[in-house]
Amino acid sequence: MVIQIGFNWLIEQQLLLSTLFCGFILLERFGLKTLGSGFVYKLAWLLPVALIIANLPNAIKPLQNSNISHYLITPNQPFTSEVGISWALMYVLITSGLLLAIFATHTRFVKSLQLTELTHFKGALTAGVKTYISQYVATPMVVGILNSKLVLPSNYNTQFDKATLALILEHENVHIKRKDNLTNVLILLPTILLWFNPLAWFCYASIRRLQELTCDERVLADKNTQQHILYSKALINCAANAPTGLMAYSHYGDKKTMLQRLTNIKHSGKHSRFAKGGLLLVAASMLSGLAIAKQPEAMTKEDHISPTMRIEPLYPIQAAQQGISGSVVLKYDITPNGETANVSVVSAKPEAIFDREAKKALRQWQYKPSSMGYQNVLVQLDFAINNEVANTDLIERIKVSH
């Protein structure tokens, strides 16, 4: 049941998330000259913030609100929740497989490096960060999620001159200080959870590109033209040998990413404050709109019971084998947060045959939250081998067939 609720909630968020993803991707593709990579990179925080705000009043809703007066279940028509569970389980299996694959890829990659520590390396690195060399890497990179390690090619002394190497080390040091590898993991995990949404993967790629662009800007903030040229040449050299695959470790990116980085270096300068202010105003308005739109409805509209999820009772095996049909009338309360409580049997025919399964299912039902809740609600569950049930008028009648 928990899996189904979580899966349904995730599906409900896709319209909002897809809209946010599209907006962020467009900003990364077309707004860097006006806004700057650092500003756009920080806007990534709007994605989780908007999702939280949109779900503040009603944290998790398993299904859209809808009135259910009658529910007919036949042997050839599976119950809706069972279909949801099967999709949810498929989602869990695929997600688990992707997580295991990513973990195995990273573990295998680090082991394949065969690192050798440089004990007397001279370089401006963050305190406590160790430096290693490997003959299996062609570009410098930072590995490790919590404990960062700088890895250099075994021929780094001949591949880079001192001035170029200093700039590259400064670049890697920015990644280390910002703990970008940890950030990448925290971004990659929700992306995997949204593996079925291609916009999530595009957005992940945009964030990774922006991460490198902001790193470049920080390195070159106080550098002269000659150092800009040296740095650009080093990027081109590193891009030709950059590792491929879905890695959380910071690397130089592919040739397309490198072209974007070189263009950003060339056009770096002042950005439009007016554009930044306008975009922040739009973002604030959007977040406020989400918060208002999700506020609970007025009490005047809460004049009827609105179920949001019902679980089908299981038909007792012995009763099905003997061809027994019957009905159970249950009384229960609905709490203000929409859960059922104080479930009891008012009457049953035949007695003690369907009571247990009826109560078990009813305890899992959920209703639309209300200010006061409801007490002494009645419902009749009809367990029928065929379509013939007694014509009894109660508040609600739900037929359960084997």
Side-chain angles (χ1 to χ4, degrees), residues 342-353:
N342 303 322
V343 180
S344 62
V345 177
V346 176
S347 61
K349 183 179 181 180
E351 296 183 358
I353 299 295

Side-chain angles (χ1 to χ4, degrees), residues 289-363:
L290 286 174
I292 295 174
K294 286 290 185 177
Q295 290 297 323
E297 295 180 358
M299 290 183 59
T300 56
K301 295 183 180 181
E302 296 182 344
D303 55 355
H304 61 279
I305 299 175
S306 300
T308 60
M309 184 178 70
R310 281 177 169 158
I311 301 298
E312 177 191 12
L314 296 177
Y315 208 106
I317 297 177
Q318 186 175 4
Q321 292 175 344
Q322 298 177 7
I324 299 176
S325 299
S327 300
V328 179
V329 178
L330 301 170
K331 182 175 69 173
Y332 59 102
D333 299 334
I334 302 176
T335 63
N337 63 355
E339 297 180 353
T340 58
N342 303 322
V343 180
S344 62
V345 177
V346 176
S347 61
K349 183 179 181 180
E351 296 183 358
I353 299 295
F354 305 101
D355 301 17
R356 180 176 177 274
E357 295 297 339
K359 292 170 62 178
K360 181 180 178 181
L362 186 56
R363 290 191 180 101

Side-chain angles (χ1 to χ4, degrees), residues 45-302:
W45 283 104
L46 288 179
L47 300 175
V49 170
L51 187 62
I52 292 173
I53 290 179
N55 289 275
L56 277 179
N58 304 311
I60 296 178
K61 292 183 178 181
L63 294 174
Q64 295 289 342
N65 292 340
S66 58
N67 293 323
I68 307 175
S69 298
H70 302 280
Y71 219 117
L72 178 63
I73 305 167
T74 63
N76 296 325
Q77 182 181 355
F79 194 75
T80 305
S81 66
E82 292 180 356
V83 175
I85 290 176
S86 64
W87 280 107
L89 289 176
M90 183 181 298
Y91 165 80
V92 169
L93 291 175
I94 295 176
T95 303
S96 301
L98 288 174
L99 290 173
L100 290 174
I102 294 296
F103 177 79
T105 299
H106 282 72
T107 302
R108 185 169 58 252
F109 175 77
V110 174
K111 289 182 178 180
S112 68
L113 296 180
Q114 299 182 16
L115 302 178
T116 302
E117 185 175 357
L118 284 176
T119 55
H120 302 290
F121 179 75
K122 295 181 180 180
L125 291 178
T126 302
V129 177
K130 296 181 179 180
T131 305
Y132 298 82
I133 60 172
S134 172
Q135 60 179 339
Y136 298 101
V137 297
T139 62
M141 66 182 304
V142 177
V143 299
I145 305 302
L146 299 177
N147 298 318
S148 299
K149 302 179 182 67
L150 174 64
V151 181
L152 298 174
S154 56
N155 63 338
Y156 72 94
N157 279 324
T158 57
Q159 184 178 356
F160 307 106
D161 57 51
K162 290 184 178 180
T164 303
L165 181 60
L167 291 172
I168 291 176
L169 290 178
E170 190 173 348
H171 174 96
E172 300 300 340
N173 203 39
V174 172
H175 284 309
I176 295 172
K177 287 182 177 180
R178 298 194 310 191
K179 297 187 180 298
D180 282 343
N181 283 354
L182 177 59
T183 300
N184 294 339
V185 170
L186 297 179
I187 299 172
L188 181 58
L189 289 178
T191 303
I192 293 175
L193 294 179
L194 297 171
W195 55 263
F196 53 87
N197 188 340
L199 291 174
W201 296 102
F202 286 120
C203 188
Y204 172 78
S206 293
I207 293 176
R208 292 297 303 273
R209 285 192 293 268
L210 286 168
Q211 185 181 90
E212 294 299 327
L213 293 176
T214 56
C215 190
D216 295 338
E217 287 186 352
R218 186 170 298 189
V219 172
L220 299 174
D222 56 351
K223 301 298 188 294
N224 56 38
T225 303
Q226 182 62 29
Q227 289 173 311
H228 277 66
I229 296 174
L230 285 177
Y231 189 76
S232 299
K233 289 181 178 179
L235 291 184
I236 295 174
N237 183 30
C238 292
N241 302 287
T244 58
L246 191 62
M247 298 292 292
Y249 301 141
S250 298
H251 53 78
Y252 288 84
D254 55 19
K255 294 181 180 180
K256 183 178 179 181
T257 300
M258 193 55 57
L259 179 61
Q260 185 181 25
R261 294 175 67 177
L262 294 174
T263 302
N264 192 65
I265 293 174
K266 181 180 179 181
H267 296 285
S268 61
K270 294 183 179 180
H271 305 289
S272 173
R273 293 184 179 181
F274 178 78
K276 291 181 180 180
L279 186 59
L280 288 177
L281 182 61
V282 172
S285 302
M286 180 193 70
L287 295 178
S288 300
L290 286 174
I292 295 174
K294 286 290 185 177
Q295 290 297 323
E297 295 180 358
M299 290 183 59
T300 56
K301 295 183 180 181
E302 296 182 344

Side-chain angles (χ1 to χ4, degrees), residues 17-32 35 40-41 43-44 47 197-210 256 260:
L17 288 174
S18 296
T19 303
L20 293 172
F21 291 155
C22 284
F24 186 81
I25 294 168
L26 290 175
L27 286 176
E28 187 266 333
R29 295 291 175 87
F30 305 106
L32 296 185
L35 301 172
V40 178
Y41 186 52
L43 289 179
L47 300 175
N197 188 340
L199 291 174
W201 296 102
F202 286 120
C203 188
Y204 172 78
S206 293
I207 293 176
R208 292 297 303 273
R209 285 192 293 268
L210 286 168
K256 183 178 179 181
Q260 185 181 25

